[in-house]
Amino acid sequence: MAGSLAREGLTVAGGRRGGPLIVTEDMELLDDLLRLCAAAGAEPEVHHGPPEQPGRRGGWEQAPMVLVGDDAAARCRGAARRRGVMLVGRDQDDPDVWRRAVEIGAEYVLRLPEAEGWLVDQIANAAEGVGRPALTVGVIGGRGGSGASTLACALAVSAARAGRRTMLIDADPLGGGIDVLLGGERAEGMRWPDFAHSKGRLGGGALEDSLPALHGLRVLSWGRDEETAIAPQAVQAVLAAARRLGGVVVVDLPRRVDEGVAEALAQLDLGLLVVPGELRAVAAAKRVASTVRMVLDDVRVVARGPYAAGLDERWVAQALGLPLIGELPLEPGLLAAQDSGTPPGGSARGPLARFCAEFWEQAEAAGEPGSAAPAGGGAP
């Protein structure tokens, strides 16, 4: 890969965990905390004091987080010190609240209802086991028919084959459906129209479980009915939920940038612009890149042959003024393989799969900003 990936190495987040441990005898406070847990999609365990059996699910030391009511702070003084303890109450003017927080090792002191929104997010994060966000890569065609969807599909298939938690999101409603490239247009699961009116926070685990599972990854594509308008808030909610799962998210993007696409671009770590090696394609790609870079700073070129006379992958990248990732290799028999049920990148020994595998390996190795080796091509 040319240039550098300003991104920490990829990680695969673990599975979802249990809900928080709630420690209180204040029934009014308990009702509020149960309501917030329900809003976060978490199932809490409730105790009047620290659990006597620390090995139990959701015990003081095992729970992803602990919410201690003001009334129960004294009963929790002898509990083991751990991260994720929060002291929760309502009295805004209690001068002793900080002393009680120190006594139980609380990281935060929260007062309801002011802290409700923040607390819902923290409960959901803890229940989902949220760690490092997914490395999120968008693929955009410099012109129509450039092969962007093929590359997006191959990147996702290769990432899943390497054991990375992977989600492939089709953000182009007019692209024909990326699930078709995977042979999964009839697979059971939700499509974009099912999320058309989503807003606020979506549970990452719930999103993952609802989508079709194809070739070891989860796929969000479009339905086969009439085009459904997806609100920008829905795009933001879906992408944010996907990123919280960790691992890898690949987004197949259209060349036009509307409000929904801008929301997707805002959550990318890296954009790959696929550009055929011809003058008209470079001219079209320059306009696409100009629009995309109004939202996303890190856009890089994947050049694709064959090239017009006097052109090569370096010339294409230099003409666009963008870093070069490499040259997208030609893969003989790609269409025939798709007809037989093998998606792009499905053959681990094929040149396309090797290109994608090297891309992910270099991305994973780029724990700090710095130069990375070329993948299938050279640096400009």
Side-chain angles (χ1 to χ4, degrees), residues 108-192:
Y108 298 94
V109 174
L110 306 179
R111 288 293 174 257
L112 304 183
E114 287 79 3
E116 285 190 357
W118 184 87
L119 184 53
V120 168
D121 281 344
Q122 300 310 305
I123 294 171
N125 284 344
E128 291 178 2
V130 172
R132 184 175 297 160
L135 174 61
T136 307
V137 178
V139 186
I140 313 156
R143 67 153 168 81
S146 64
S149 294
T150 297
L151 177 57
C153 185
L155 284 169
V157 169
S158 297
R161 182 168 50 240
R164 298 179 177 95
R165 191 174 196 167
T166 306
M167 188 176 294
L168 175 60
I169 296 178
D170 185 355
D172 185 359
L174 302 180
I178 207 165
D179 53 350
V180 176
L181 286 177
L182 292 164
E185 59 269 28
R186 297 182 180 177
E188 292 291 330
M190 297 176 73
R191 266 65 174 185
W192 266 118

Side-chain angles (χ1 to χ4, degrees), residues 164-250:
R164 298 179 177 95
R165 191 174 196 167
T166 306
M167 188 176 294
L168 175 60
I169 296 178
D170 185 355
D172 185 359
L174 302 180
I178 207 165
D179 53 350
V180 176
L181 286 177
L182 292 164
E185 59 269 28
R186 297 182 180 177
E188 292 291 330
M190 297 176 73
R191 266 65 174 185
W192 266 118
D194 299 304
F195 300 97
H197 304 294
S198 299
K199 58 182 179 179
R201 183 189 177 103
L202 287 178
L207 172 67
E208 183 179 46
D209 291 345
S210 72
L211 299 180
L214 302 168
H215 303 281
L217 58 107
R218 296 287 178 161
V219 183
L220 176 56
S221 189
W222 298 86
R224 297 290 168 260
D225 300 326
E226 295 182 3
E227 181 181 351
T228 302
I230 306 298
Q233 302 95 310
V235 176
Q236 193 278 334
V238 167
L239 264 293
R243 282 175 56 81
R244 286 195 300 271
L245 289 169
V248 167
V249 176
V250 180

